[in-house]
Amino acid sequence: MSYASTLPAPEAALPSLAPNEIVPLLIGATVDEVERELVLQTLARCDGNRTRAARVLGLSVRTLRNKIREYSAEGIDVPAHGDNAAA
């Protein structure tokens, strides 16, 4: 898929999981919880770059911004631009 090329390089370091290995990890979680984790993990992998994360997720930047605002209001720590660069 074309969006894979927009992911940062650490993707190669992650183990490849088959769908039958992923689904059991998701059972018991709500769709909202899975979506939130996907958004947060993608933001972290994109070093907090919202434009790139939105592209990877297939969302508009506005939709991603609204989700981030919602998560922040719930007290969830959202990766900011450059968070991984300082490490």
Side-chain angles (χ1 to χ4, degrees):
M1 294 184 180
S2 61
Y3 68 85
S5 62
T6 62
L7 286 174
E11 177 185 32
L14 296 175
S16 180
L17 297 176
N20 65 334
E21 295 173 311
I22 295 171
V23 172
L25 299 174
L26 302 176
I27 293 174
T30 66
V31 172
D32 285 341
E33 291 168 340
V34 172
E35 178 186 74
R36 180 174 49 246
E37 191 60 29
L38 181 60
V39 167
L40 295 174
Q41 292 285 333
T42 302
L43 270 167
R45 299 273 309 277
C46 291
D47 196 29
N49 184 310
R50 294 176 180 190
T51 302
R52 189 170 5 149
R55 190 178 319 124
V56 169
L57 292 165
L59 301 173
S60 69
V61 174
R62 175 177 280 184
T63 297
L64 180 59
R65 185 183 63 228
N66 290 339
K67 289 182 182 300
I68 290 170
R69 192 173 292 140
E70 177 185 323
Y71 302 156
S72 294
E74 294 173 4
I76 296 168
D77 189 31
V78 177
H81 188 71
D83 275 356
N84 290 338

